[in-house]
Amino acid sequence: MSGHPKNTKAERFGRWLGRAYRNLMQQEQRLRLWLVGLGVPAKGARIVAWCLRLSALALLLSFSILLAMICIGLWLIGRGIARSDLSYRTPDVEWRNGQSGFGLYTRDEFRIDPHVFEDD
């Protein structure tokens, strides 16, 4: 048995997420310092950073709504296909030879297409 416990996947993911957040905050700090170096007031630089943060949040929200709409649409299409009756139905009428010659007959042996006898 070793003296140190192994990191779980959840712990590694949490550490990765923490490093990503810390790097993002460092980039934001660099942006604010760059803006202040250009002559923008510190309060204005902070507002620009917050606007970028909110726009990124709005972009993620719109993407998640779009993804949810696509998933719901696919689910509804699949549900409609599962409930539909796609089995083959035998037709009520068919073209065949019958008592009055070749024509369109029902199941009750009645010819329903307009036909002309040769005797007429």
Side-chain angles (χ1 to χ4, degrees), residues 3 7 11-12 14 19 22 24 31 33 38 42-43 49 53 56 59 62 64 75 79 84 93 95-96 111 117:
N7 292 340
E11 186 177 356
R12 283 194 305 253
R19 282 191 303 271
R22 186 174 56 235
L24 185 64
L31 173 70
L33 291 175
L38 290 176
K43 199 173 226 180
R53 207 185 271 189
L59 185 66
S62 64
S64 64
W75 177 71
R79 186 175 171 193
S84 67
V93 295
W95 291 96
R96 61 184 169 88
R111 187 169 178 181
F117 290 110

Side-chain angles (χ1 to χ4, degrees), residues 73-87:
L74 289 174
W75 177 71
L76 287 173
I77 289 171
R79 186 175 171 193
I81 289 173
R83 290 186 175 197
S84 67
D85 183 22
L86 298 176
S87 63

Side-chain angles (χ1 to χ4, degrees), residues 26-74:
Q26 287 174 354
Q27 291 294 334
E28 186 178 315
Q29 180 67 24
R30 286 185 192 137
L31 173 70
R32 283 189 287 182
L33 291 175
W34 179 71
L35 287 173
V36 168
L38 290 176
V40 177
K43 199 173 226 180
R46 188 176 297 139
I47 289 172
V48 169
W50 270 100
C51 287
L52 284 174
R53 207 185 271 189
L54 290 175
S55 64
L57 185 65
L59 185 66
L60 286 173
L61 182 64
S62 64
F63 177 72
S64 64
I65 288 173
L66 179 67
L67 187 63
M69 288 173 56
I70 289 172
C71 289
I72 289 172
L74 289 174

Side-chain angles (χ1 to χ4, degrees), residues 91-116:
D92 294 334
V93 295
E94 62 182 347
W95 291 96
R96 61 184 169 88
N97 283 321
Q99 292 180 358
S100 300
F102 184 79
L104 191 60
Y105 287 90
T106 64
R107 289 186 180 176
D108 300 330
E109 300 293 326
F110 292 112
R111 187 169 178 181
I112 59 173
D113 65 324
H115 59 281
V116 178

